[in-house]
Amino acid sequence: MIRRMSFLLLSIAISSFCSAKAHAQGTLRFESDDVLIYSGPGQKFRPIGKGKTGTKTTVNPQILPGPDGDYFEILYSDKLGADSDDEEKRLGYVSTRSKVVFERTGMDEGDDLKKYKSWAQAEAAVQSDITILKDQSYLWTVGYLKYPSPGFFVKGFVGQILSRFSSSTIVGGEVGLDQWIRGHFTAYSSLAIAPLFVPSDGTLFTGSQLFNLFVRGSVGLRYNADEHAQISFGLTQILATNVQNSFMSPGLAFTLEVGL
Amino acid sequence: MRLGFGFVVAAGLCLGISSARAAVKVESSVRQYDDSLTKVLSPNIDAEASFNKDHGKVRLGYGMDILTSASPDVISFGTKEIKETRREFSFGTDYTLGSGSIGGGYVQSDENDYSSKNISFGGTRDFFEKNTVIGLGFSQSTDKILSSTDTSFLRDMQAQMYNISISQVTSKQGVLQLLYDFRIENGYTASPYRRARFRQPDGSVIPVAENHPRNRGRNAVTAKYNHYVAELIMATSTSLRFYFDTWGVRSWTLEERLTREFGKKFSLGLNFRYYRQAAASFYQDFYAANADGYFTGNKTLAEYSSMLLGIRGNVVLSEKLSFFVKMEKYNQSFDNFTDVKNVATALDDAIFKIDATVYGVGLTGNF
């Protein structure tokens, strides 16, 4: 009896020791080059990478529910499936409907997912922008961004168009699309519209009045530094117009964005 | 910028040879428009190469419009006929990313008295498993306008265009799309050849060079619905477009396209378009002798309606080649644009009408 009890206690001790150390028990194998990996469990999160056919990565065997279906939680780095620094690894999420195969492995095989962070993304940010226009004119804005989804942002902004002899004020809104390219880089396109106020008639362009319309379109490249700070460089075109006349200019835009 | 067809074909072939995995599509076509006063012959060649498993696409195009016209709005008084050739070169690229695409393009168009350069950029983004697609696009163009009758004449015009679109898959067979386009033209918006017509007290007509507003803001809202009727192996495309601008022009367009497959080798397409326009606020067929302000001789600023009916057949010749032939009948009826004919008397004046026929043939190769 005592022998039985001591065996039982030993078993409990071993099993509790094992359960404390046990972690990921599965790998996920990609069967296509087009499987998107998201920063969270759902398509509303930012795509952060793609799997490569034949590569494997550690996966949490517990499937996570998302707003548009179930997701695997995996370990992701830019060099998926190859050796990479732990600092570069993050948690990623793959739809269970993707072309992937889940393979159960033994205890302690693969990394412990709990020690890695997600690619957290700010849902709101402050963005400042400086644009070089033609004829020694400049545009600056500062705005507040909200990300209804990582690939889509809306922004409210204030700013000024600075020409050689005057400054004109804009207060408006912008919508933008953002798409993951590779690693920390995304491509963006955006469209802004705002009322433009000039200090006096004829300022900025011949025929300008107190109230004018400002429109702007931009495309460019963004570098997302750990998802909470972003810088971008892009091509832009601006338009200041009223019924009588217009001012048009191409430009080069630089932005700095800090997550809130 | 004068590039021959050979260059475009060679470029297409080079793209095909340079990458064994690239797919190249080349389409060559010729179109002829004839309304008895104006004839336009338009040869065209387009090449598209895809790379990196079809994620990237590069397009090159070259086309010409060889025009001969004696239309009353383009001939200057005393000139019987104009002849000119417009050449257009285009280049574009777009790349499909994880959940959308991004792209840009360049178009240059030249004729003896007009040149235009246009740069465009844009992007799309998919949402909800590609069921919803939002697109943004914009472009900027710079035009130079000259006159073949006045060597010192040189004007410029700039334009910017912005558009936003949203597409929604409504069923397995249907896609609905809403588009908004905004375009601003600024600079010389008239023509050095057209003349506004001023009726004198004695009944005769004096031509006066056009005086247009310097600025024109144009807006268009379009709704499109594409549907596939599986039982009939037929695709339908319906669109309704409403347009308005700062010159007071208002128009709407209804368009319907039907395409039906007959086996794997043959398909037939029918298209119909109806267009109705209200005149620009400053448009008049004849201006009073002492009129001031803006005046124009441009018939496309008059009140008019037009209708187009077309048929197109497509035959698959082989795995790589297909051939199409099309014919369109086009009718344009003006409410308030008169063909003056003899300017000394109003007796032979008549409301202007256009009845045109368009023929087109083309060959498409996939390599």
Side-chain angles (χ1 to χ4, degrees):
Chain A
M1 185 66 181
I2 292 170
R3 199 175 167 183
R4 274 187 165 183
M5 282 292 288
S6 54
F7 179 78
L8 184 63
L9 288 169
L10 185 62
S11 300
I12 291 169
I14 291 171
S15 62
S16 52
F17 176 77
C18 287
S19 64
K21 291 286 183 187
H23 45 77
Q25 299 169 46
T27 59
L28 200 71
R29 189 176 76 242
F30 291 90
E31 301 221 306
S32 164
D33 289 343
D34 290 322
V35 177
L36 280 173
I37 302 161
Y38 294 92
S39 61
Q43 289 186 352
K44 72 168 193 165
F45 291 92
R46 180 192 296 271
I48 53 174
K50 278 184 180 178
K52 281 187 182 173
T53 304
T55 57
K56 292 181 179 180
T57 189
T58 307
V59 61
N60 181 350
Q62 191 173 356
I63 289 171
L64 303 175
D68 47 41
D70 292 336
Y71 281 78
F72 288 118
E73 184 180 55
I74 66 162
L75 193 57
Y76 171 75
S77 75
D78 287 351
K79 298 174 184 173
L80 193 64
D83 292 335
S84 58
D85 295 336
D86 281 356
E87 290 175 6
E88 292 296 315
K89 291 179 179 174
R90 293 285 191 277
L91 295 178
Y93 300 85
V94 172
S95 169
T96 55
R97 287 165 293 174
S98 308
K99 290 183 178 175
V100 290
V101 175
F102 174 77
E103 295 170 345
R104 189 166 290 278
T105 59
M107 291 254 191
D108 292 336
E109 289 184 37
D111 284 329
D112 182 0
L113 293 178
K114 289 177 183 170
K115 68 183 186 184
Y116 296 101
K117 295 185 294 183
S118 292
W119 289 70
Q121 190 200 4
E123 291 187 351
V126 171
Q127 188 184 66
S128 59
D129 160 35
I130 292 176
T131 302
I132 302 168
L133 304 170
K134 69 177 184 182
D135 298 335
Q136 296 180 37
S137 297
Y138 302 89
L139 166 72
W140 70 264
T141 67
V142 60
Y144 176 74
L145 276 90
K146 285 286 285 183
Y147 286 92
S149 92
F152 180 72
F153 64 82
V154 292
K155 175 180 156 187
F157 64 87
V158 295
Q160 285 182 310
I161 298 177
L162 307 173
S163 59
R164 272 181 287 184
F165 305 110
S166 67
S167 62
S168 308
T169 306
I170 46 176
V171 182
E174 183 172 343
V175 292
L177 307 173
D178 197 28
Q179 298 175 61
W180 174 79
I181 301 175
R182 191 178 183 84
H184 292 259
F185 290 96
T186 59
Y188 76 91
S189 53
S190 65
L191 188 62
I193 187 163
L196 179 145
F197 305 95
V198 296
S200 60
D201 288 359
T203 307
L204 187 63
F205 62 94
T206 306
S208 68
Q209 299 160 342
L210 174 65
F211 174 80
N212 309 275
L213 179 68
F214 170 87
V215 189
R216 172 184 184 166
S218 308
V219 288
L221 202 61
R222 282 170 30 141
Y223 178 81
N224 305 281
D226 215 14
E227 307 288 313
H228 277 289
Q230 289 153 356
I231 53 172
S232 78
F233 167 76
L235 300 171
T236 191
Q237 68 177 38
I238 72 146
L239 166 71
T241 186
N242 59 29
V243 175
Q244 295 180 17
N245 206 359
S246 300
F247 168 76
M248 302 179 191
S249 175
L252 295 173
F254 305 88
T255 69
L256 171 65
E257 185 179 323
V258 180
L260 298 174
Chain B
M1 178 66 70
R2 297 198 173 196
L3 296 168
F5 285 173
F7 169 81
V8 180
V9 173
L13 292 173
C14 286
L15 285 166
I17 292 162
S18 64
S19 169
R21 299 182 71 179
V24 176
K25 178 182 175 184
V26 180
E27 182 171 305
S28 170
S29 64
V30 179
R31 175 181 175 272
Q32 180 181 281
Y33 169 96
D34 188 347
D35 66 17
S36 77
L37 291 173
T38 301
K39 284 185 184 176
V40 186
L41 186 67
S42 308
N44 198 62
I45 186 163
D46 293 299
E48 180 182 280
S50 58
F51 56 95
N52 195 12
K53 297 178 183 173
D54 284 343
H55 283 94
K57 285 190 173 126
V58 177
R59 294 179 301 278
L60 281 172
Y62 182 75
M64 297 165 80
D65 284 328
I66 303 161
L67 178 139
T68 309
S69 180
S71 176
D73 66 326
V74 296
I75 59 168
S76 56
F77 284 65
T79 303
K80 291 292 180 193
E81 188 176 81
I82 61 165
K83 289 183 180 178
E84 58 188 27
T85 301
R86 186 179 69 88
R87 294 174 172 82
E88 183 178 288
F89 164 74
S90 63
F91 167 80
T93 182
D94 56 71
Y95 199 86
T96 303
L97 297 164
S99 49
S101 66
I102 195 151
Y106 174 77
V107 180
Q108 179 161 339
S109 166
D110 291 295
E111 48 196 286
N112 64 329
D113 52 5
Y114 203 103
S115 76
S116 175
K117 298 180 176 74
N118 179 279
I119 297 175
S120 60
F121 295 99
T124 64
R125 181 72 159 82
D126 311 332
F127 297 91
F128 312 118
E129 295 196 326
K130 298 184 188 296
N131 284 328
T132 307
V133 180
I134 294 177
L136 299 176
F138 36 90
S139 67
Q140 177 148 344
S141 66
T142 308
D143 297 5
K144 294 235 171 284
I145 303 114
L146 301 98
S147 169
S148 57
T149 56
D150 178 1
T151 52
S152 65
F153 186 91
L154 174 62
R155 300 285 188 278
D156 57 29
M157 185 184 79
Q158 282 185 298
Q160 281 192 355
M161 192 273 289
Y162 299 83
N163 67 56
I164 185 164
S165 65
I166 180 164
S167 303
Q168 177 64 47
V169 174
T170 53
S171 68
K172 284 183 179 175
Q173 285 90 27
V175 180
L176 179 67
Q177 189 177 31
L178 296 172
L179 305 101
Y180 172 69
D181 293 293
F182 175 61
R183 178 182 164 90
I184 282 278
E185 293 165 359
N186 184 258
Y188 183 75
T189 57
S191 160
Y193 306 116
R194 280 192 310 252
R195 295 289 182 265
R197 299 176 294 198
F198 282 66
R199 180 90 74 190
Q200 302 304 299
D202 64 359
S204 63
V205 175
I206 291 181
V208 177
E210 290 183 326
N211 180 30
H212 280 191
R214 182 177 171 76
N215 208 50
R216 189 178 189 185
R218 313 173 77 153
N219 304 271
V221 181
T222 308
K224 286 184 182 175
Y225 182 67
N226 294 343
H227 188 77
Y228 183 72
V229 187
E231 298 79 18
L232 300 174
I233 327 169
M234 185 170 75
T236 68
S237 176
T238 309
S239 76
L240 184 63
R241 178 178 183 266
F242 178 64
Y243 166 92
F244 57 100
D245 67 27
T246 53
W247 289 7
V249 176
R250 304 275 185 277
S251 74
W252 61 273
T253 311
L254 175 67
E255 187 162 12
E256 182 64 49
R257 290 176 181 273
L258 305 174
T259 308
R260 192 187 192 286
E261 292 176 11
F262 294 90
K264 292 181 179 177
K265 297 273 186 183
F266 183 67
S267 66
L268 192 66
L270 293 173
N271 61 305
F272 166 80
R273 188 177 71 219
Y274 179 78
Y275 177 86
R276 180 74 196 162
Q277 174 181 299
S281 56
F282 59 89
Y283 175 83
Q284 290 181 42
D285 195 10
F286 293 97
Y287 293 85
N290 57 352
D292 56 6
Y294 298 120
F295 34 87
T296 184
N298 186 353
K299 67 177 187 289
T300 64
L301 297 177
E303 186 169 343
Y304 71 91
S305 58
S306 69
M307 205 184 304
L308 182 143
L309 196 59
I311 185 166
R312 173 180 165 136
N314 196 77
V315 183
V316 177
L317 301 173
S318 70
E319 198 176 310
K320 292 181 176 176
L321 279 179
S322 63
F323 172 80
F324 77 82
V325 58
K326 73 171 184 180
M327 189 184 87
E328 291 171 344
K329 290 296 286 181
Y330 177 73
N331 167 273
Q332 198 172 8
S333 302
F334 293 87
D335 295 24
N336 57 353
F337 180 79
T338 308
D339 186 356
V340 178
K341 295 179 183 170
N342 183 357
V343 296
T345 172
L347 292 175
D348 59 351
D349 291 2
I351 289 291
F352 191 62
K353 277 188 177 181
I354 289 175
D355 284 304
T357 307
V358 179
Y359 298 101
V361 290
L363 199 60
T364 304
N366 290 287
F367 307 102

